[in-house]
């Protein structure tokens, strides 16, 4: 049994936790209520600003037409494909660059340029080259996520403690062993943060691609909505995007918990 | 008996863009089996360089190193370098794993070492739950796991606070003597060198050359902590201190 002080301390922590949670919920609830009230009393123009009820109606409508889930699934699918490919390819390239220091020095300026280049600018070219379709969208998202993955994962390799490398060498480790038994496990942290960044990077790429290609997906719904001035549809699209992004982010957090067992 | 290790006119020059650094020059030493030798010298004089060359992490520029047949070297650094994602046991098995010698027999040996030196209860813990002194003992056992004949210790206790340092140096001494190993230890702590060693090599400022070699003979030779109380201790300390010619 704990002392009275400690019990009070635990109570305080619990109380704070609840307070934070209640505030978080309150913010969204109040936001929705105020928004709805403003709309009901015609203080804002629902034609431009929409309203929670209209968004709900739109969702129900979309739910009744059968291609709603098709649109969501397309976006999710494109994101997952580009995310996975971007991560794998990025890790492979980062490994090659770590393995071959000279190659890294050669590629370094190009990586920097590619990283600072806003990849949206390449959108039109990619569409011309590989057609206005899913292929272009995935390519664009892949391109965005792969560069940032290379940089983050390589950075992780660079942060590995030099004395640990020395230790491995003194125990007679080969380069392959150093890679597998030291570099990979010790840069797991950077790898995870690369994953987290990648989820949003891929999603940005996909939505951008869908804006440009404008055939299907959540990005298309938003684009289409804005073109026909259906703001209900635009806001619904953004709302669904929020949910999709959050779910994907928490999936990565789940993976993180599974991967890091020590400490 | 043929010396276990013979270093002959060792020389090391480091090259980098700023220029070259002559780190070690004309270092010669013959080591007997079972000997515990300390190397002391001003910081930056080239002590670590000598150990790095011996265990193959650096390439020598000139000179000869003869190691008796079938003699293996083990290296232990100031930082324990334990991998936080491996348990204590797995950390100790690292060397065996890398050298593809992870047999049941070798594993038994490592378990025996962990048990003998008071780490039995921690074999499945992660390093983050161990104190600095314990981690250093784990690092030593990791080095011993591959059964080296000569241990190269580079300031093995520098990262520890004073009291832990005394206790751990006693432990390490006991372990090394108990396992009948030879050892070369680099340190900047004169008392540590005198209390633990059979011989103390004093190096000059960079480039490291041998200034003096002192065989340490105490009347009541026992553990490092006890040795510090011997009457000869102070006179050795004095002599070596003068050799180092230390000016602030
Ligand atoms: N990799 C290296 N490249 C260039 N110079 C080095 C390198 N390692 C050590 N040195 C230089 O060699 C000298 C001896 O270093 P070191 O052996 O680490 O000294 P100590 O261990 O005695 O403090 C120092 O002047 C150091 O700056
Ligand atoms: Mg040193």
């Amino acid at each position: 049994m704990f002392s009275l002080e400690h019990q009070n301390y635990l109570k305080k922590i619990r109380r704070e936790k609840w307070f934070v949670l209640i505030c978080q919920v309150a913010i969204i609830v109040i936001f929705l209520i105020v928004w709805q009230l403003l709309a009901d009393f015609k203080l804002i123009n629902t034609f431009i600003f929409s309203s929670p009820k209209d968004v709900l109606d739109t969702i129900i409508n979309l739910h009744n037409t059968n291609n709603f889930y098709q649109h969501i699934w397309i976006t999710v699918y494109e994101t997952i494909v580009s995310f996975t490919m971007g991560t794998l390819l990025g890790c492979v390239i980062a490994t090659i660059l770590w393995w071959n220091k000279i190659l890294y020095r050669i590629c370094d300026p190009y990586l920097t340029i590619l990283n600072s280049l806003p990849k949206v600018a390449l959108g039109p070219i990619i569409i011309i080259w590989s057609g206005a379709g899913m292929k272009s969208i995935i390519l664009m998202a892949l391109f965005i996520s792969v560069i940032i993955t290379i940089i983050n994962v390589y950075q992780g390799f660079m942060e590995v403690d030099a004395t640990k490398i020395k230790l491995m060498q003194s125990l007679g480790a080969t380069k392959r062993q150093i890679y597998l038994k030291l570099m990979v496990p010790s840069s797991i942290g950077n790898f995870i943060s690369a994953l987290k960044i990648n989820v949003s990077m891929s999603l940005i790429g996909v939505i951008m691609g869908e804006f440009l290609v404008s055939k299907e997906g959540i990005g298309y719904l938003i684009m289409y909505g804005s073109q026909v001035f259906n703001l209900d549809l635009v806001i619904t699209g953004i709302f669904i995007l929020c949910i999709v992004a959050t779910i994907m982010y928490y999936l990565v957090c789940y993976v993180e918990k599974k991967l890091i067992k020590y400490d | 008996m043929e010396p276990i290790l013979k270093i002959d006119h060792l020389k090391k020059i480091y090259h980098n863009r700023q220029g070259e650094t002559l780190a070690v020059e004309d270092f010669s030493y013959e080591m007997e089996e079972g000997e515990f030798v300390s190397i002391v010298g001003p910081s930056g004089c080239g002590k670590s360089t000598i150990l790095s060359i011996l265990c193959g992490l650096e390439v020598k520029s000139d000179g000869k190193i003869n190691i008796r047949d079938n003699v293996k070297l083990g290296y232990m650094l100031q930082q324990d370098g334990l991998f936080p994602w491996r348990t204590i046991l797995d950390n100790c098995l690292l060397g065996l794993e890398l050298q593809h010698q992870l047999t049941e027999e070798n594993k038994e040996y490592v378990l025996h070492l962990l048990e003998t030196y008071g780490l039995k209860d921690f074999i499945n813990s992660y390093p983050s739950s161990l104190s600095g002194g314990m981690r250093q003992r784990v690092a030593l056992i990791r080095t011993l796991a591959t059964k080296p004949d000569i241990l190269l210790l580079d300031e093995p206790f520098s990262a520890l606070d004073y009291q832990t340092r005394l206790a751990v140096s006693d432990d390490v001494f006991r372990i090394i003597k108990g396992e009948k190993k030879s050892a070369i230890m680099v340190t900047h702590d004169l008392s540590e060198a005198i209390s633990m060693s059979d011989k103390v090599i004093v190096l000059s400022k960079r480039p490291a050359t041998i200034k003096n070699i002192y065989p340490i003979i105490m009347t009541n030779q026992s553990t490092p902590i006890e040795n510090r109380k011997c009457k000869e201790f102070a006179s050795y300390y004095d002599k070596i201190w003068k050799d180092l010619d230390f000016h602030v």
Side-chain angles (χ1 to χ4, degrees):
Chain A
M1 209 48 226
F2 297 123
S3 70
L4 198 62
E5 285 86 348
H6 193 71
Q7 287 176 30
N8 285 337
Y9 167 77
L10 290 179
K11 243 184 238 162
K12 187 167 155 257
I13 289 195
R14 231 173 291 140
R15 226 181 294 135
E16 276 175 8
K17 204 173 137 192
W18 276 107
F19 178 72
V20 168
L21 188 66
I22 288 169
C23 286
Q24 286 168 338
V25 175
I27 287 176
I28 185 76
V29 170
I30 292 173
F31 173 74
L32 290 175
I33 291 175
V34 169
W35 186 9
Q36 186 62 50
L37 287 176
L38 287 173
D40 285 348
F41 290 100
K42 305 248 179 311
L43 291 169
I44 53 170
N45 182 352
T46 50
F47 185 64
I48 315 181
F49 289 101
S50 188
S51 78
K53 259 190 208 143
D54 293 340
V55 170
L56 195 65
D57 286 343
T58 314
I59 292 178
I60 293 169
N61 267 336
L62 283 169
H63 169 76
N64 292 333
T65 69
N66 45 13
N67 58 358
F68 176 44
Y69 297 102
Q70 179 73 10
H71 285 301
I72 297 180
W73 167 242
I74 292 279
T75 299
V76 170
Y77 174 78
E78 287 163 347
T79 309
I80 291 176
V81 171
S82 55
F83 168 78
T84 315
M85 283 168 55
T87 307
L88 290 180
L89 202 61
C91 289
V92 169
I93 294 175
T95 301
I96 293 172
L97 293 179
W98 173 77
W99 208 280
N100 193 333
K101 291 274 148 24
I102 296 282
L103 189 63
Y104 174 75
R105 276 169 53 194
I106 295 171
C107 297
D108 187 30
Y110 297 107
L111 275 178
T112 314
I113 293 171
L114 286 179
N115 189 38
S116 36
L117 177 79
K119 263 70 73 179
V120 207
L122 297 177
I125 305 182
I126 293 179
I127 290 177
I128 291 171
W129 285 344
S130 43
M134 189 183 271
K135 208 163 114 196
S136 286
I137 297 174
I138 290 178
L139 264 178
M140 213 176 303
L142 173 65
F143 195 59
I144 291 183
S145 62
V146 81
I147 304 284
I148 195 80
T149 310
I150 295 172
I151 290 176
N152 274 317
V153 173
Y154 189 83
Q155 181 68 25
F157 290 158
M158 287 299 101
E159 281 166 17
V160 173
D161 189 2
T163 59
K164 290 203 172 80
I165 297 176
K166 212 165 159 187
L167 169 84
M168 290 289 280
Q169 287 169 338
S170 79
L171 290 170
T174 61
K175 193 152 187 175
R176 192 187 139 88
Q177 286 175 323
I178 292 179
Y179 177 74
L180 290 176
K181 296 194 192 264
L182 175 60
M183 306 314 278
V184 172
S186 57
S187 45
I188 280 285
N190 279 60
F191 176 70
I192 298 280
S193 55
L195 287 190
K196 282 180 181 165
I197 294 170
N198 254 357
V199 171
S200 41
M201 286 297 159
S202 305
L203 206 49
I204 290 174
V206 165
I207 296 300
M208 226 171 60
E210 288 175 351
F211 279 1
L212 292 174
V213 171
S214 230
K215 270 193 181 147
E216 47 191 354
I218 302 175
Y220 160 73
L221 286 185
I222 296 173
M223 202 56 174
Y224 173 77
S226 78
Q227 277 165 358
V228 300
F229 244 78
N230 179 353
L231 269 294
D232 298 339
L233 187 56
V234 173
I235 291 179
T236 304
I238 294 171
F239 175 69
I240 290 168
L241 205 51
C242 282
I243 295 178
V244 170
T246 311
I247 292 176
M248 288 191 171
Y249 182 81
Y250 278 104
L251 279 179
V252 174
C253 291
Y254 176 76
V255 173
E256 176 175 22
K257 279 222 184 78
K258 288 273 138 178
L259 279 180
I260 301 184
K261 306 185 288 287
Y262 55 93
D263 287 336
Chain B
M1 187 96 187
E2 186 195 350
I4 192 166
L5 170 71
K6 193 167 170 227
I7 306 168
D8 211 15
H9 299 288
L10 184 68
K11 179 175 177 177
K12 172 69 188 177
I13 304 173
Y14 284 112
H15 301 276
N16 57 22
R17 220 164 291 166
Q18 284 79 42
E20 50 180 5
T21 310
L22 179 57
V24 179
E25 188 167 39
D26 203 19
F27 181 91
S28 303
Y29 187 74
E30 287 187 13
M31 188 175 177
E32 303 302 325
E33 190 164 355
E35 206 172 50
F36 194 117
V37 192
S38 284
I39 301 180
V40 298
S43 82
C45 75
K47 305 181 293 291
S48 298
T49 303
I50 295 171
L51 294 197
S52 297
I53 293 172
L54 285 177
C55 71
L57 291 178
E58 291 286 351
V59 191
K60 63 183 188 306
S61 305
D62 200 6
K64 269 206 199 96
I65 296 172
N66 280 314
I67 301 173
R68 202 160 76 196
D69 290 346
N70 302 320
V71 164
K72 276 175 79 177
L73 303 180
Y75 190 40
M76 180 173 162
L77 298 121
Q78 178 180 336
Q79 292 90 353
D80 55 60
L82 298 179
F83 292 178
W85 57 89
R86 280 175 173 248
T87 61
I88 297 306
L89 179 60
D90 287 342
N91 263 294
C92 291
L93 296 175
L94 181 66
L96 293 170
E97 209 176 299
L98 295 175
Q99 296 166 17
H100 307 290
Q101 292 176 353
L102 202 55
T103 59
E104 270 314 304
E105 191 190 341
N106 285 334
K107 205 170 157 180
E108 279 306 313
Y109 174 64
V110 170
L111 281 169
H112 156 80
L113 287 175
L114 285 166
E115 193 167 333
T116 315
Y117 302 113
L119 291 158
K120 185 172 186 265
D121 296 337
F122 298 94
I123 54 175
N124 293 316
S125 312
Y126 288 95
S128 55
S129 61
L130 265 62
S131 69
M134 284 160 109
R135 294 170 64 112
Q136 213 55 15
R137 262 185 288 164
V138 174
L140 178 64
I141 292 174
R142 178 186 56 202
T143 309
L144 290 171
T146 53
K147 300 192 176 161
D149 306 277
I150 307 177
L151 291 166
L152 307 172
L153 312 167
D154 195 347
E155 310 211 15
F157 315 120
S158 303
L160 306 175
D161 64 76
Y162 185 69
Q163 261 155 357
T164 314
R165 188 176 175 139
L166 285 183
V168 175
S169 58
D170 239 37
D171 282 345
V172 165
F173 180 82
R174 200 159 47 87
I175 297 173
I176 289 174
K177 290 291 173 187
E179 304 299 319
K180 299 196 168 50
K181 308 287 183 190
S182 315
I184 305 179
M185 178 175 80
V186 162
T187 175
H188 57 252
D189 183 333
L190 300 190
S191 327
E192 198 168 273
I194 299 166
S195 64
M196 291 177 79
S197 324
D198 301 310
K199 273 183 192 150
V200 177
I201 301 176
V202 185
L203 297 183
S204 66
K205 283 206 286 280
R206 188 170 61 83
T209 51
I210 295 182
K211 215 165 181 181
N212 248 321
I213 300 181
Y214 293 95
I216 306 291
I217 299 150
M218 306 271 192
T219 34
N220 301 309
Q221 192 94 26
S222 65
T223 66
I225 291 181
E226 291 304 313
N227 283 346
R228 286 170 191 252
K229 298 172 190 154
C230 288
K231 59 178 188 294
E232 293 90 347
F233 185 83
S235 76
Y236 282 126
Y237 194 101
D238 239 34
K239 277 189 218 157
I240 295 173
W241 176 254
K242 283 201 183 100
D243 268 352
L244 285 177
D245 194 22
F246 184 72
H247 298 291
V248 189

